[in-house]
Amino acid sequence: MTAPTMAIQDATTMLGRELKHTLRFPLLLVSTVLVPVVFLLLFDDILGGTIGHGLGDAAHGAPYVDFLVPGIILLTIAGSCGPTAISVHLDMSGGIIDRIRAMPVTRGALLAGHVGGNVLRTLLATTLVIGVALLAGFRPRASVTDWLAVIGIVAAFSFALAWLSAALGLVAKTVAGANGSTLPIAFLLPFLSSTFVPADSMPVGVRWFAAHQPFTPVVESLRALLSGAPAGSTAHLALAWCAAIALAGYVWAQVAFRRGTR
């Protein structure tokens, strides 16, 4: 068996381990879904009337829930970072690395399993959140091709944030530190983007930051695709951000993993 084949086989085994953890501890998935659903109901039912009237041309005559749901999908992706960072940190501090080191297992397989598990959990959580959004009145106008593009962007952004979360889990000193280090990704960056309101409506300094950070092109791409409009260069920019974050997170995680297993 060649080295690449062994690496793929080991990564698949670790992915199966992650999926078993999800089945045994479904609270991880529930918490990933619950927070976006609460934000959806809060912003749509309680704040949506006031915010919706202020959207103007940004809403293109559609209800606020249609503007809001792509941002809620973004929150779902970002919310998966905490559980991944915590799981990676627990593996590093709980002795599982010592067991794997004594076995003929590819070193990078453990992190690949965490990342793959994160992507699959995020896709499932996103599906559940969209189901709730449809019950709340969300009416997408996306074609089959648009939906495939939406799935691709969700998977790509989840993959990128998963590698970044794995790196944060590896360098954290405690479980609380692993969880806390992902909070800016889960809450600060989504709020400082066009998740809930257009970036153009923000104060000047915040507007510049919102226009040049990765979450904005991702949510704008999802918004365009779900409304049946062409995403254009915004989707290309979103995928470029995904590639850059994934590469940076992968390199950081590999370096931190080697240091932690010496």
Side-chain angles (χ1 to χ4, degrees):
M1 186 179 293
T2 62
T5 304
M6 288 182 61
I8 293 173
Q9 189 177 59
D10 290 342
T12 303
T13 302
M14 292 301 168
L15 174 60
R17 171 178 175 266
E18 272 301 299
L19 297 180
K20 286 179 181 177
H21 281 177
T22 303
L23 293 176
R24 290 176 182 173
F25 306 101
L27 190 59
L28 288 176
L29 181 61
V30 171
S31 63
T32 304
V33 173
L34 186 60
V35 172
V37 167
V38 168
F39 273 96
L40 169 66
L41 299 178
L42 173 66
F43 276 84
D44 182 41
D45 293 342
I46 299 177
L47 304 175
T50 302
I51 298 176
H53 285 303
L55 285 181
D57 294 337
H60 300 292
Y64 179 60
V65 66
D66 288 352
F67 181 92
L68 175 65
V69 168
I72 296 300
I73 293 174
L74 190 74
L75 277 180
T76 308
I77 302 171
S80 67
C81 294
T84 298
I86 292 172
S87 296
V88 171
H89 178 76
L90 288 176
D91 274 354
M92 289 297 288
S93 59
I96 186 67
I97 297 297
D98 293 333
R99 296 182 197 173
I100 290 178
R101 196 158 38 187
M103 300 166 61
V105 177
T106 308
R107 288 293 180 90
L110 182 67
L111 295 180
H114 279 290
V115 171
N118 175 294
V119 174
L120 293 179
R121 278 196 303 270
T122 302
L123 288 174
L124 177 58
T126 303
T127 302
L128 295 174
V129 168
I130 291 176
V132 175
L134 291 172
L135 295 175
F138 174 54
R139 295 295 178 263
R141 297 183 291 278
S143 64
V144 173
T145 305
D146 293 334
W147 275 111
L148 292 175
V150 167
I151 294 171
I153 291 176
V154 169
F157 200 46
S158 173
F159 179 78
L161 294 187
W163 274 113
L164 186 59
S165 304
L168 290 171
L170 287 167
V171 300
K173 302 299 182 185
T174 63
V175 173
N179 185 49
S181 64
T182 64
L183 291 182
I185 302 173
F187 292 104
L188 183 60
L189 290 179
F191 274 90
L192 296 180
S193 71
S194 60
T195 298
F196 300 107
V197 296
D200 293 342
S201 65
M202 299 177 179
V204 176
V206 180
R207 184 192 313 163
W208 183 91
F209 179 79
H212 295 87
Q213 63 120 320
F215 282 65
T216 294
V218 172
V219 72
E220 292 297 341
S221 300
L222 295 176
R223 188 165 287 138
L225 291 167
L226 289 172
S227 66
S233 59
T234 307
H236 298 155
L237 181 59
L239 292 175
W241 270 114
C242 291
I245 295 171
L247 179 61
Y250 173 81
V251 172
W252 187 14
Q254 294 299 327
V255 172
F257 187 74
R258 282 196 293 270
R259 287 178 178 171
T261 54
R262 283 175 182 169

